[in-house]
Amino acid sequence: MSVPAVIVLGPGGLDVARRIADVTGAEIHGLARRVSGADVAFNDAGEHLRTLFRDGRPTIGVCAAAIPIRLLAPALADKRDEPPVIAVAEDGSAVVPLLGGHRGANVLAQKIADELGVTASITTAGDVRFGAALDDPPPGWTLLNPEDAKPFAAALLAGASVRGARADLPAFLRGTELPCDPSGTLSISETISETACGADRLVYVPRAVSVGVGCERGTDPAELVALVRETLTAANIPELAVAGIFSLDLKADEPAVHAAAAMLNVSARFFDAATLEAETPRLANPSDVVFREVGCHGVAEGAALAAAGPEGELRVAKTKSARATCAVAVAPGPIEVPKAGRPQGRLLVVGTGPGSDGWMTAESEASVAEATDLVGYSLYLDLLGPRTTGKTRHDFPLGEETDRVKKALDLAVEGRTVALVSSGDPGIYAMATLVFELLDAPTNEAWSSVAVEVCPGISALQGAAARSGAPLGHDFCTVSLSDLMTPWEAIERRVRAAADGDFVIAFYNPVSRRRTWQLSKAKEILLEARPETTPVVIARNLGRPEESVRVVALRDLDPARIDMLTVVLVGSSETRALVRGDGRSRVYTPRGYGDKYNLGKKRESGS
């Protein structure tokens, strides 16, 4: 289930919303004009709620039940696709699942009700009568024939009973009030093999099967996918029974392993060699050759057995293709995947934008939400506000960039999902470059197993351009004036080249307490190549309350009024400053539309 959204329409519901968020891991979405401090603000309650509904997000409205009913009415269609929708009274006195009862709403409502100390108003017939939602089994179980659940439940409500004893039911149904009788006309089965089902027979498949795999480096993903599929088919095991794909941690970055997991829509999990070596007594095909290469006597069989646990049994011994191996084990019940090995570690390099959190991209927002750990300069982590709740913070002072990246990579090696937080766009004069520099150096071999993703952010140059008009409307470049790691000779050569090419230039790191002359030198170079009236945008503290954006002529650019919190955009010879009726200058760089479409003559003719 995706992260729930708690909808708050007024300040009176915030306290209850926070309690719900704490127990469910939900985000708080507040009506902008009435609620402050929410994780997400919205202006149109109906449109926002319908968007969440269409996206399949569970929603919990802290409001009267009639409000989400009316707002969602236009979006209702097939109840089999409805995400959970729950209404909670503002004072927490009532919890009512409205939609998606058997798609998680009843379970979610019960969790909320337990936190608030009330009884959830669950009204679905099966839950009320028997304490069982037959079409909504708990995680780890799949109903093979969900289309038969409704007539099956109707037969139970009409007086029919399930054949056999309660102890014969799947484990998650043994504590219910389902009527059981040796002469019952209905049946409920638990199996990991394909079997017949129907309106009088429900079949539940536990995710109790572990698939262990191994492969040579660079194996074609299609080869391993085909081997896994053929192995399961030959063993008469449905894909729904597979809990995960498991292997040795040396294979954590192997595309073929992840392709096999994606084919089955399950996780890929990995064990260290010592864990797999402990399974040697249970292996059908121990190999001294494999031991010499990777430190354990079997990868595929060992991983399958380690995931299935001490009571698991090897169902299919190691099978081979040209470059891959596969084995299958079965556990006595659903496998707790989070406890079986660890996932491939992920490092998500994200940007907060140049200032306010309103400038974070949706992808960066999602990456922070997904992360287990956050690494970054303390100020940048503070800017995330409530997004840090429930996550482990690893704060660093200003500077120490290399230590930050190393810490993030080390955490990811442990199988965590780590967000390395940067300001602006992480790939523009920020942390992403250092990540790849360290990965390119033979510093720590374990880092090679980490998946790295860079999430685009809004950069300071984009923010400055948007605030001032459209100065980057034609060709532009960026130059950092910091000579801490780049020799001034190289910087000066680039400034002269940009001046000769008549590029709009965005200057990063223009001035610091120790570097006071570089911007003056750059100004001198540019005045040799473009008019002294060229517009210059000076943007300071972008996205923050103290933000200021000024436009001056190049001749009037005063480096003494610039600092490290400022980005400077110098126009090309074509850049213009347009003064609007409000007295503010808007800077833009034409791309030639005027000549192409004769815009100037149209203006002159009054058209």
Side-chain angles (χ1 to χ4, degrees):
M1 186 183 295
S2 55
V3 177
V6 184
I7 308 299
V8 187
L9 303 178
L14 262 178
D15 289 342
V16 168
R18 291 190 180 105
R19 292 179 65 184
I20 294 171
D22 287 343
V23 75
T24 63
E27 289 181 333
I28 297 177
H29 293 217
L31 186 61
R33 64 180 180 275
R34 298 189 63 200
V35 178
S36 60
D39 299 328
V40 177
F42 60 86
N43 294 307
D44 186 319
E47 184 56 38
H48 187 68
L49 192 59
R50 287 188 289 272
T51 298
L52 293 170
F53 188 80
R54 286 191 293 267
D55 291 344
R57 287 279 295 276
T59 54
I60 305 154
V62 184
C63 58
I67 293 175
I69 290 173
R70 286 197 299 267
L71 295 179
L72 286 174
L76 300 183
D78 186 349
K79 78 172 190 175
R80 292 172 298 181
D81 294 327
E82 292 171 354
V85 178
I86 299 168
V88 179
E90 271 201 355
D91 61 0
S93 61
V95 180
V96 185
L98 301 174
L99 297 170
H102 288 174
R103 290 178 60 81
N106 289 348
V107 174
L108 189 58
Q110 190 60 59
K111 181 182 289 188
I112 295 168
D114 290 344
E115 166 65 20
L116 299 178
V118 298
T119 300
S121 301
I122 296 173
T123 59
T124 43
D127 296 76
V128 173
R129 179 85 170 270
F130 308 120
L134 295 174
D135 60 350
D136 184 30
W141 296 86
T142 301
L143 177 58
L144 203 57
N145 54 323
E147 68 281 359
D148 293 322
K150 186 174 181 178
F152 190 97
L156 287 174
L157 292 168
S161 58
V162 179
R163 186 167 53 252
R166 195 171 305 282
D168 298 327
L169 294 172
F172 71 93
L173 291 174
R174 292 171 193 163
T176 66
E177 298 299 320
L178 287 173
C180 296
D181 190 286
S183 59
T185 57
L186 305 176
S187 69
I188 297 178
S189 301
E190 169 189 339
T191 181
I192 61 163
S193 299
E194 299 286 1
T195 188
C197 48
D200 62 348
R201 186 182 189 192
L202 298 185
V203 178
Y204 291 93
V205 179
R207 287 196 178 270
V209 173
S210 56
V211 177
V213 298
C215 62
E216 296 178 17
R217 177 62 66 184
T219 295
D220 183 351
E223 178 181 339
L224 184 55
V225 166
L227 177 62
V228 170
R229 188 170 272 146
E230 291 164 5
T231 302
L232 293 173
T233 300
N236 194 32
I237 295 174
E239 294 179 0
L240 287 173
V242 177
I245 295 288
F246 302 91
S247 191
L248 178 66
D249 57 7
L250 292 177
K251 303 299 178 183
D253 63 335
E254 193 64 54
V257 177
H258 292 281
M263 180 268 292
L264 295 171
N265 195 29
V266 296
S267 299
R269 310 280 296 190
F270 304 91
F271 296 97
D272 58 31
T275 300
L276 298 192
E277 179 60 14
E279 299 295 336
T280 301
R282 299 204 287 166
L283 300 183
N285 299 283
S287 169
D288 291 334
V289 173
V290 173
F291 178 77
R292 286 194 295 271
E293 289 182 358
V294 298
C296 62
H297 279 82
V299 173
E301 292 182 356
L305 287 166
E311 297 181 23
E313 297 180 352
L314 195 64
R315 176 64 62 89
V316 180
K318 180 173 66 176
T319 60
K320 297 180 180 180
S321 63
R323 304 186 69 197
T325 58
C326 177
V328 177
V330 179
I335 294 171
E336 294 186 63
V337 175
K339 296 181 180 179
R342 64 190 186 195
Q344 180 187 24
R346 296 173 64 206
L347 176 57
L348 311 175
V349 191
V350 305
T352 61
S356 69
D357 59 5
W359 280 358
M360 281 187 72
T361 64
E363 184 173 328
S364 290
E365 291 260 16
S367 295
V368 169
E370 206 176 342
T372 57
D373 295 72
L374 304 173
V375 178
Y377 171 40
S378 294
L379 174 62
Y380 300 157
L381 297 187
D382 289 342
L383 287 173
L384 294 176
R387 298 178 185 85
T388 64
T389 302
K391 305 178 189 302
T392 304
R393 286 180 52 148
H394 305 271
D395 290 61
F396 285 80
L398 188 62
E400 300 186 13
E401 288 87 355
T402 301
D403 290 337
R404 275 186 250 168
V405 176
K406 288 181 176 179
K407 179 67 174 180
L409 286 166
D410 288 341
L411 290 168
V413 167
E414 297 174 11
R416 306 190 197 193
T417 298
V418 184
L420 178 62
V421 181
S422 177
S423 64
D425 180 286
I428 300 178
Y429 301 121
M431 304 302 293
T433 300
L434 183 53
V435 169
F436 291 108
E437 280 191 60
L438 287 172
L439 290 175
D440 196 30
T443 308
N444 186 333
E445 189 174 334
W447 292 345
S448 64
S449 69
V450 174
V452 178
E453 301 167 37
V454 180
C455 307
I458 295 175
S459 65
L461 70 92
Q462 289 172 293
R467 288 290 195 253
S468 60
L472 306 182
H474 211 323
D475 297 335
F476 66 92
C477 66
T478 65
V479 177
S480 170
L481 292 181
S482 172
D483 58 358
L484 293 177
M485 290 179 284
T486 303
W488 172 253
E489 292 75 20
I491 296 172
E492 182 174 344
R493 185 169 65 250
R494 292 165 188 168
V495 174
R496 290 190 180 279
D500 291 343
D502 200 22
F503 287 97
V504 177
I505 307 174
F507 284 120
Y508 277 71
N509 306 312
V511 172
S512 72
R513 284 194 296 266
R514 290 181 297 176
R515 293 183 296 98
T516 58
W517 58 270
Q518 285 89 342
L519 183 58
S520 295
K521 180 61 177 178
K523 172 184 174 180
E524 177 185 317
I525 294 169
L526 292 173
L527 282 171
E528 296 172 4
R530 59 192 64 176
E532 62 178 15
T533 56
T534 298
V536 177
V537 177
I538 301 170
R540 187 176 187 278
N541 271 319
L542 284 162
R544 299 189 176 102
E546 58 272 30
E547 172 185 286
S548 68
V549 178
R550 297 184 295 120
V551 178
V552 301
L554 179 57
R555 63 170 176 258
D556 299 323
L557 174 61
D558 182 3
R561 299 186 62 187
I562 310 298
D563 60 19
M564 283 291 286
L565 299 177
T566 306
V567 62
V568 177
L569 305 183
V570 181
S572 71
S573 63
E574 298 295 320
T575 302
R576 306 172 189 176
L578 172 67
V579 180
R580 302 294 311 284
D582 59 5
R584 292 178 56 194
S585 292
R586 296 294 195 276
V587 178
Y588 73 101
T589 304
R591 287 190 63 196
Y593 290 111
D595 293 336
K596 182 174 182 179
Y597 297 109
N598 203 20
L599 297 182
K601 291 185 179 180
K602 286 183 180 179
R603 255 197 322 269
E604 292 169 3
S605 65
S607 56

